[in-house]
Amino acid sequence: MSDLAEHASRATTVAIIRKKVMASLTRRGIRATKVNAVTLRLDSGGYVGLDNLVDRCLNYSNSSWNDVVEAHVTTLLDMQKYSDPAHIASMPDDEFYMRLRERVAPASLLRQLNEFSYTRPLVDAFDSPRRMLNLTFPDLALTLPDVALVGRDLETAWAFGRANTAAMKFDRRESMIKDNITIDVLRGDSIYLASKVADMPTFIDRYLDEAPFGVLFTIPNAYEIDNFLPRTFEETARAAELMVGVAQMLSRDTPNPLSDHVYFWRDGEYCQVSGDASAGVFAATLRELHEL
């Protein structure tokens, strides 16, 4: 298909999806007006972007579009309801803490960092994934801004979020083998599974047994952790090189991409291994292994 034809085809799809969204909102008593091809304005003053919905619909047959649109609109309206500061403030502590999850996600997920000043980078590197807190509802993950934590004890919130994420279960465990290097792969359906790397001691205790020389890992998307346990200098250096390619490959064309970098943890310290970041603790571990 030529670029011109492809553009025309997408424009037609956008128009169809936009019409379906507006009809769905009307049935729910909500009026929306067109701002541009991929943006609607609600009478309440909010805006609805359609780009992601169009991309999602293109993964399904036309006959499924109505169901995809209805699910999207339902989630959108739930998000508006649950993200209302008054609704969050009125939530009892026990329900609030029960719904919390610690999440590691791309910094780009946050609209403006000054509204999420409590969040923390996973590693000391430019554009590092950030640790944040989510409130979970059926089919909805709400990233909390600073204002949603007013009146709550932040350390208690982090503790509950971390414990609740640790309790999530992987569905599958596989091995990725290349050039006699075995990468351990843990995957599942929850967007919080990759976030287990924020609590590495618990992750090691539950899934890896022992890691005296730390853990080399990638988190290409929200659903998986690929890891390697250093034992020898040669294998660890080769594993790091292999995992750079793995992270770059698996972070493309995937739902909820997270990072295309390789990271390392040892004794409570994280570093980024790939790219321009300083790989301090990893470099020190390589030197130690080389001397064994």
Side-chain angles (χ1 to χ4, degrees):
M1 182 183 294
S2 69
D3 290 344
L4 184 61
E6 186 174 351
H7 178 76
S9 176
R10 184 175 177 86
T12 300
T13 300
V14 168
I16 293 171
I17 300 303
R18 184 177 62 244
K19 183 176 180 180
K20 290 181 180 294
V21 170
M22 294 178 74
S24 178
L25 289 168
T26 297
R27 287 193 295 273
R28 301 166 194 242
I30 300 170
R31 184 171 178 270
T33 54
K34 176 183 172 183
V35 176
N36 57 42
V38 293
T39 308
L40 300 176
R41 185 182 188 279
L42 306 181
D43 277 358
S44 63
Y47 289 84
V48 178
L50 302 177
D51 272 326
N52 290 340
L53 175 58
V54 171
D55 290 341
R56 190 175 301 121
C57 285
L58 289 173
N59 290 322
Y60 294 86
S61 64
N62 295 18
S63 61
S64 299
W65 285 4
N66 283 338
D67 292 338
V68 175
V69 168
E70 287 300 315
H72 181 84
V73 171
T74 297
T75 299
L76 171 74
L77 297 179
D78 283 347
M79 182 174 291
Q80 290 187 343
K81 170 188 173 183
Y82 293 131
S83 62
D84 180 15
H87 176 81
I88 296 174
S90 67
M91 193 178 294
D93 278 349
D94 56 351
E95 180 184 359
F96 179 82
Y97 292 130
M98 178 271 294
R99 292 189 179 278
L100 281 178
R101 303 289 186 274
E102 181 177 26
R103 185 177 181 185
V104 174
S108 58
L109 187 69
L110 306 179
R111 298 184 302 274
Q112 295 181 9
L113 275 179
N114 62 356
E115 296 179 5
F116 299 85
S117 63
Y118 76 92
T119 66
R120 308 168 188 175
L122 179 67
V123 299
D124 183 15
F126 173 75
D127 206 26
S128 165
R130 295 189 74 85
R131 293 174 49 215
M132 58 195 70
L133 290 171
N134 275 190
L135 273 184
T136 60
F137 301 93
D139 301 317
L140 176 63
L142 177 65
T143 301
L144 294 179
D146 294 335
V147 66
L149 291 160
V150 172
R152 313 281 185 179
D153 183 83
L154 186 56
E155 290 306 311
T156 300
W158 277 119
F160 271 92
R162 172 162 290 192
N164 292 338
T165 294
M168 308 296 289
K169 303 293 185 182
F170 290 104
D171 300 315
R172 300 177 297 283
R173 188 166 198 164
E174 306 162 356
S175 293
M176 189 185 312
I177 304 174
K178 183 176 180 181
D179 298 332
N180 293 321
I181 299 296
T182 301
I183 308 300
D184 181 35
V185 180
L186 294 113
R187 292 191 175 109
D189 296 327
S190 168
I191 62 168
Y192 298 108
L193 292 175
S195 301
K196 291 176 179 287
V197 298
D199 184 10
M200 193 59 77
T202 298
F203 177 70
I204 292 170
D205 180 63
R206 295 185 181 180
Y207 299 99
L208 308 183
D209 296 329
E210 294 182 355
F213 294 103
V215 182
L216 194 63
F217 66 93
T218 67
I219 40 176
N221 57 64
Y223 309 101
E224 74 176 80
I225 301 173
D226 310 327
N227 69 88
F228 176 85
L229 298 181
R231 291 291 187 265
T232 69
F233 170 81
E234 182 181 348
E235 284 192 347
T236 303
R238 288 166 55 207
E241 184 176 351
L242 171 63
M243 292 176 76
V244 169
V246 169
Q248 293 175 348
M249 176 182 67
L250 295 182
S251 61
R252 294 195 299 264
D253 301 323
T254 180
N256 289 299
L258 210 169
S259 175
D260 60 359
H261 284 293
V262 178
Y263 302 98
F264 181 71
W265 177 95
R266 187 180 184 188
D267 298 333
E269 185 176 351
Y270 293 86
C271 72
Q272 182 175 303
V273 173
S274 56
D276 298 328
S278 170
V281 66
F282 181 63
T285 298
L286 281 179
R287 288 193 296 270
E288 183 179 344
L289 290 171
H290 192 263
E291 293 171 357
L292 290 179

